[in-house]
């Protein structure tokens, strides 16, 4: 179960929009500085806001990276892979057990 979110989704979206507007208004402004300035206005940690902006830019395809949807899919596939490996281990051990029992019976 994921941890509860500290900030509401509406605040996140508004903060991201404000950072993007600020970057559009001041072209030379670094993203980290814009995030810090907007974060101070809204009471949001600048680093958290920078991560939100980064994730949003990746999801929008503006910068390279793994999108949120791809990350969820990868996590699901890794979970399935772990379950399959565990099942294979159990089947392998059961097979070895029954093979040994068959040899002992002869």
């Amino acid at each position: 179960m994921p941890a509860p979110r500290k900030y509401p989704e509406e605040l996140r979206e508004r903060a991201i929009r404000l950072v993007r507007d600020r970057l559009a208004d001041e072209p030379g402004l670094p993203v980290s500085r814009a995030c810090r300035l907007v974060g101070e206005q809204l009471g949001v940690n600048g680093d958290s806001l920078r991560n939100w902006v980064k994730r949003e830019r990746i999801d929008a395809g503006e910068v390279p990276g793994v999108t949120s949807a791809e990350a969820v899919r990868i996590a699901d596939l890794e979970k399935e892979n772990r379950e399959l490996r565990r099942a294979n281990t159990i089947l392998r051990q059961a097979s070895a057990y029954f093979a040994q029992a068959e040899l002992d019976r002869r």
Side-chain angles (χ1 to χ4, degrees), residues 28-46:
L29 185 67
V31 174
S32 58
R33 175 124 171 95
C35 291
R36 191 165 48 85
L37 294 172
V38 171
E40 288 172 359
Q41 291 175 341
L42 299 177
V44 176
N45 184 315

Side-chain angles (χ1 to χ4, degrees), residues 18 26 33 36 45 57 60 67 103:
L18 288 172
E26 301 176 41
R33 175 124 171 95
R36 191 165 48 85
N45 184 315
R57 292 177 72 196
T67 65
L103 288 176

Side-chain angles (χ1 to χ4, degrees), residues 15-100:
I16 292 169
R17 189 175 57 251
L18 288 172
V19 168
R20 292 178 70 78
D21 291 346
R22 185 121 193 198
L23 290 171
D25 292 344
E26 301 176 41
L29 185 67
V31 174
S32 58
R33 175 124 171 95
C35 291
R36 191 165 48 85
L37 294 172
V38 171
E40 288 172 359
Q41 291 175 341
L42 299 177
V44 176
N45 184 315
D47 290 332
S48 296
L49 183 51
R50 185 177 46 81
N51 289 334
W52 300 343
V53 170
K54 180 181 177 185
R55 171 64 37 213
E56 195 269 335
R57 292 177 72 196
I58 289 172
D59 288 346
E62 296 174 12
V63 294
V66 178
T67 65
S68 298
E70 289 172 338
V72 168
R73 183 170 183 270
I74 289 170
D76 289 344
L77 290 172
E78 287 174 346
K79 181 180 177 184
E80 182 181 358
N81 195 344
R82 277 192 306 275
E83 292 170 357
L84 291 172
R85 286 182 192 274
R86 183 172 177 266
N88 280 344
T89 301
I90 291 169
L91 290 172
R92 199 175 308 116
Q93 290 172 347
S95 175
Y97 173 80
F98 287 116
Q100 185 63 43

